[in-house]
Amino acid sequence: MDMNFKPLMPHPVKRPVVIAGPCSAETEVQVMETARQLKEAGQAVDFYRAGIWKPRTRPNSFEGVGKEGLQWLKKVKAEFGFKTCTEVANTAHVFHALKSDVDLLWLGARTTVNPFSVQEIADALEGVDKPILIKNPINPDLGLWIGAIERIYKAGLHRIGVIHRGFSSHGETKFRNVPRWQIAIELKRRFPDLMMICDNSHICGRRDILGEIAQQAMDLNYAGIMTETHCTPDEAWSDAAQQITPQVFKELVDNLVIREENSQDLQVNQNIGDLRNQIDELDEEVINLIANRMKLADAIGAYKKRNNISILQSSRFNDILKQAIIQGEKKGLSQGFITTYLHAIHQESINHQKEVYQKTETKTEKEKDVT
Ligand code: PEP
Ligand code: MN
């Protein structure tokens, strides 16, 4: 679907766009105090966040204060001049958030995952011109993420951006939600006009690596960050382990190195261009080499078929893999990369050989017909 996104905010956007505020609005004092400390620290805030309705994994956890909290966001706006934002997950949330003049809405990860919920929200927002951010679904499914964007877009909301908050995974990792950067990068490749925000809080789930992840996002040219900040993080009613004080947040932002996507310097661009040309040439060569490798696979396939040998000899693949890992290590290529690369090559070889087997069969059938 063709989509023409409009900017979320009046241009020019100054990187990083900052969305900060507590995971949840807990009390009026906590919401106001967190905002006050951000202001006092001198931190620019493009949108002040606070979850009013909280999707919690288990019941009996704190599920948000509900619409009462929207009045506190109004007060934040009036007193500190911060625009506000919150998560909406159903028609009632949309109704209350719009009524209370929340400046930006976002869809949470557990909503994006469910097309029924996304459609319900899209219907409730039909014809309303609000900026909206769509978080990635909890599972690493780019189609689902794009589907949610399309549903919202079709409802007439064109000021759309996305929040990358990482993905659930099995097993122990240092993250609460593994980033899988390549999924967000692919989304950005397909829709370059989408503003991409990194929710380092939900990716990390802990305080000590928030800065590292924010920096990685900046180096990937994300527009901004959404970071949970709380006046007393240790006492937070939700996500305490990942929240930081406004002062610590200010330091984090101040330490970010913001690099431009392109240099204004002609010589720099020329040098990058030269290196890219070399890469393009090598890529072409690699593709030619792979094509030659496939031709050999075809030849072997035909030979195996004539000699009644099965396509797959797994010991052969294991030998290739072992050898390549040793060679790769010497050249500074990781075992993970070599394994992924060779599996892809091997799969393509098998597909080629299968085709050879089928072709030979069809020919034999035809030959039979003739005779
Ligand atoms: C949140 O931002 O507080 C939240 C619930 O995040 P997510 O939807 O990414 O889990
Ligand atoms: Mn949270």
Side-chain angles (χ1 to χ4, degrees):
M1 184 174 143
D2 253 358
M3 292 185 279
N4 235 326
F5 301 109
K6 295 214 181 96
L8 278 191
M9 46 220 286
H11 273 120
V13 171
K14 196 176 163 301
R15 293 171 67 225
V17 169
V18 167
I19 304 178
C23 174
S24 309
E26 299 163 6
T27 64
E28 180 171 342
V29 170
Q30 169 251 6
V31 169
M32 296 306 287
E33 182 55 17
T34 305
R36 193 191 65 72
Q37 289 185 15
L38 281 164
K39 193 81 184 179
E40 193 182 78
Q43 177 59 55
V45 175
D46 294 287
F47 294 97
Y48 183 81
R49 65 153 284 158
I52 299 291
W53 302 279
K54 299 303 297 177
R56 304 309 300 277
T57 305
R58 306 278 300 271
N60 304 326
S61 316
F62 172 59
E63 294 190 310
V65 288
K67 63 181 195 293
E68 181 194 0
L70 294 169
Q71 300 315 311
W72 311 336
L73 287 181
K74 254 190 174 171
K75 273 186 96 171
V76 166
K77 191 169 9 179
E79 215 153 295
F80 304 107
F82 296 153
K83 290 196 163 134
T84 58
C85 62
T86 200
E87 173 178 348
V88 290
N90 61 35
T91 305
H93 297 167
V94 169
F95 173 77
H96 292 299
L98 293 181
K99 206 168 111 191
S100 302
D101 216 14
V102 173
D103 296 289
L104 174 146
L105 310 175
W106 85 76
L107 298 197
R110 289 165 195 78
T111 300
T112 307
V113 90
N114 183 349
F116 286 135
S117 300
V118 176
Q119 193 56 54
E120 175 183 328
I121 294 164
D123 292 344
L125 282 168
E126 179 98 44
V128 176
D129 183 24
K130 265 281 164 200
I132 188 159
L133 289 166
I134 300 171
K135 286 201 176 198
N136 66 258
I138 42 184
N139 55 325
D141 184 338
L142 180 57
L144 211 43
W145 200 357
I146 295 174
I149 297 167
E150 288 172 332
R151 285 177 198 278
I152 298 295
Y153 188 90
K154 277 173 80 176
L157 287 87
H158 295 177
R159 289 194 281 161
I160 299 180
V162 289
I163 303 174
H164 174 208
R165 52 78 79 195
F167 301 89
S168 288
S169 70
H170 296 293
E172 282 292 300
T173 80
K174 71 171 179 173
F175 300 108
R176 178 175 176 195
N177 293 290
V178 291
R180 297 186 192 274
W181 296 101
Q182 69 283 5
I183 294 180
I185 291 169
E186 175 59 13
L187 181 64
K188 187 87 181 120
R189 189 189 66 75
R190 291 205 213 168
F191 304 102
D193 295 341
L194 266 184
M195 181 185 271
M196 178 87 72
I197 303 284
C198 171
D199 174 348
N200 52 344
S201 299
H202 289 91
I203 288 179
C204 300
R206 52 195 260 195
R207 294 172 193 156
D208 59 331
I209 52 172
L210 287 169
E212 188 186 306
I213 292 303
Q215 185 61 54
Q216 275 192 48
M218 288 304 109
D219 291 340
L220 291 169
N221 212 28
Y222 283 36
I225 49 174
M226 177 190 248
T227 306
E228 291 182 343
T229 50
H230 192 292
C231 52
T232 47
D234 288 334
E235 289 158 31
W237 298 359
S238 60
D239 289 354
Q242 70 198 27
Q243 302 210 56
I244 51 177
T245 61
Q247 294 75 16
V248 171
F249 178 63
K250 170 80 164 64
E251 267 170 48
L252 184 155
V253 177
D254 286 350
N255 284 330
L256 289 176
V257 181
I258 309 296
R259 300 178 173 94
E260 293 308 316
E261 183 170 9
N262 294 303
S263 168
Q264 303 300 321
D265 185 327
L266 280 181
Q267 189 57 50
V268 170
N269 288 335
Q270 176 73 46
N271 292 345
I272 293 176
D274 287 349
L275 291 169
R276 285 192 174 143
N277 284 342
Q278 291 182 47
I279 286 192
D280 291 348
E281 278 172 28
L282 282 181
D283 278 345
E284 205 180 323
E285 230 175 280
V286 170
I287 288 176
N288 284 338
L289 284 173
I290 293 176
N292 287 345
R293 191 191 191 283
M294 291 306 152
K295 277 188 200 137
L296 284 175
D298 290 348
I300 294 180
Y303 192 74
K304 282 186 199 164
K305 165 81 181 165
R306 276 203 302 279
N307 289 284
N308 239 354
I309 303 172
S310 71
I311 291 182
L312 191 65
Q313 284 84 36
S314 37
S315 63
R316 163 75 180 143
F317 180 61
N318 284 335
D319 291 344
I320 294 179
L321 195 55
K322 250 188 244 157
Q323 200 46 47
I325 286 172
I326 294 169
Q327 198 196 345
E329 232 158 44
K330 283 187 201 149
K331 303 272 179 191
L333 300 173
S334 71
Q335 179 165 341
F337 167 70
I338 294 287
T339 311
T340 310
Y341 163 75
L342 270 182
H343 270 108
I345 293 275
H346 187 234
Q347 189 53 53
E348 184 71 2
S349 285
I350 290 178
N351 293 346
H352 266 246
Q353 294 196 1
K354 271 193 202 150
E355 241 171 65
V356 169
Y357 271 50
Q358 273 157 9
K359 259 189 215 149
T360 331
E361 263 157 25
T362 336
K363 208 169 160 197
T364 329
E365 289 302 320
K366 271 191 195 147
E367 279 165 4
K368 267 188 208 153
D369 282 353
V370 175
T371 46

